[in-house]
Amino acid sequence: MAQGNNSIKKVLIVAFALCIVCSVIVSTAAVALRPAQQLNQELDRKTNILNVAKLYEPGMDVEEAFSEQITARVIDLDSGEYTDEFDPDTFDSFEAARDPATGRTLSGDQDIAGLSRVENYATVYLIGDENDPEQIVLPIRGQGLWGLMRGFLAVEGDGNTIVSITYYEHSETPGLGGEVNNPRWQAQWEGKKIYDEEGDLSPAIHLTKGGASDDYEVDALSGATLTSNGVTNMLRFWLSEEAFGPYLAKFRSGTEPEDAEGTDTDFEDVEGA
């Protein structure tokens, strides 16, 4: 007896063929759109860097403004010196952190930002003259309440005075921890100091409840204690001797970073996804 059009075998064949066709279409679209997605991600990164440095203006040519005003350099976090071993345009800190040759595992006491592993090198962005920058933009990240928070911190050329802070990726609760993106809260950071007068590499900047009372305090986010603690902890990590502390110390002492001796001038790319 001939099978009807609604037989189980024919339904399964049609469903399987449809799945194959859809998979091919989705895969092709993903491959075709990937270059555009990467360009958009790069444009978004540059926009955020210009924004935290207070250089961004609506409608501006972001690529042109970035190339004219900002220089990217890779630094050795241990020494605080520049290195030409990696191309700053392609260096990916997340991939570097995963690689045993360019990253390290943090112990419990070191891992106050909840990162587990970090890179040994990082990209910084210099505003103005790269030999005497007006500002230095540092990438920062750490755990908030619900997940990883990623952002940028802009510091004046003295290596100690904060210009601004911004977070471009987080999953914090809207209206609570999500207020890290509120311009009124971000405005509190301008002019705050990172290190106290003792001159060591232990950052003094922190969030506090009840209103800031000195140059090292920023008012905590209302109703978001864990997010506020996360912000304090990530800053205390990235501005310590474990990360950008040795680099910023050179600006505070008036001896700006130099190119590390013996580095390979042929760029070695550490590329991410």
Side-chain angles (χ1 to χ4, degrees):
M1 181 185 297
Q3 293 182 331
N5 289 333
N6 294 326
S7 68
I8 293 177
K9 181 178 180 180
K10 288 187 176 181
V11 169
L12 291 176
I13 291 174
V14 171
F16 180 74
L18 183 61
C19 288
I20 295 297
V21 171
C22 290
S23 296
V24 171
I25 293 174
V26 171
S27 298
T28 302
V31 172
L33 292 175
R34 186 174 182 184
Q37 291 172 340
Q38 291 175 331
L39 286 174
N40 287 335
Q41 290 174 351
E42 181 69 7
L43 184 63
D44 184 63
R45 179 182 66 86
K46 291 179 178 179
T47 300
N48 277 288
I49 293 171
L50 288 166
N51 185 51
V52 76
K54 299 189 175 183
L55 299 174
Y56 177 76
E57 297 179 3
M60 72 186 313
D61 187 324
V62 171
E63 292 288 354
E64 181 179 351
F66 191 92
S67 63
E68 290 180 352
Q69 302 182 69
I70 298 177
T71 302
R73 295 295 305 270
V74 177
I75 65 168
D76 183 330
L77 292 177
D78 184 52
S79 66
E81 304 288 2
Y82 296 119
T83 176
D84 287 333
E85 187 174 352
F86 306 102
D87 184 347
D89 292 331
T90 58
F91 181 77
D92 188 309
S93 60
F94 297 99
E95 289 299 311
R98 297 188 186 101
D99 189 339
T102 55
R104 67 188 188 278
T105 300
L106 298 171
S107 67
D109 292 338
Q110 296 171 319
D111 194 19
I112 59 174
L115 298 171
S116 299
R117 287 186 60 84
V118 293
E119 58 275 20
N120 294 328
Y121 304 87
T123 307
V124 298
Y125 303 91
L126 308 175
I127 313 301
D129 184 353
E130 64 176 301
N131 296 313
D132 185 20
E134 300 171 12
Q135 295 182 45
I136 309 151
V137 175
L138 310 172
I140 55 174
R141 66 183 189 276
Q143 291 296 326
L145 173 60
W146 300 115
L148 191 68
M149 302 171 63
R150 299 170 61 184
F152 292 107
L153 179 74
V155 181
E156 290 185 9
D158 63 2
N160 194 37
T161 305
I162 294 175
V163 175
S164 184
I165 191 171
T166 187
Y167 288 94
Y168 60 89
E169 181 180 307
H170 69 81
S171 53
E172 302 306 286
T173 306
L176 297 174
E179 290 296 287
V180 292
N181 283 338
N182 188 320
R184 288 180 296 177
W185 182 76
Q186 292 177 341
Q188 297 182 61
W189 291 85
E190 184 175 359
K192 294 296 181 178
K193 303 297 182 182
I194 298 172
Y195 306 96
D196 59 27
E197 296 178 357
E198 294 181 6
D200 58 23
L201 298 183
S202 299
I205 187 70
H206 64 283
L207 271 62
T208 184
K209 292 182 179 180
S213 60
D214 59 37
D215 289 340
Y216 310 102
E217 295 182 343
V218 174
D219 196 18
L221 297 160
S222 179
T225 299
L226 294 181
T227 301
S228 296
N229 291 342
V231 172
T232 292
N233 289 335
M234 79 174 71
L235 290 178
R236 286 191 165 175
F237 173 79
W238 287 106
L239 300 172
S240 74
E241 61 183 348
E242 294 292 337
F244 294 116
Y247 175 69
L248 293 178
K250 295 181 182 298
F251 289 93
R252 299 204 313 278
S253 66
T255 57
E256 295 176 7
E258 300 178 353
D259 292 315
E261 296 182 0
T263 57
D264 186 356
T265 55
D266 291 329
F267 289 142
E268 175 186 344
D269 296 346
V270 179
E271 298 181 353

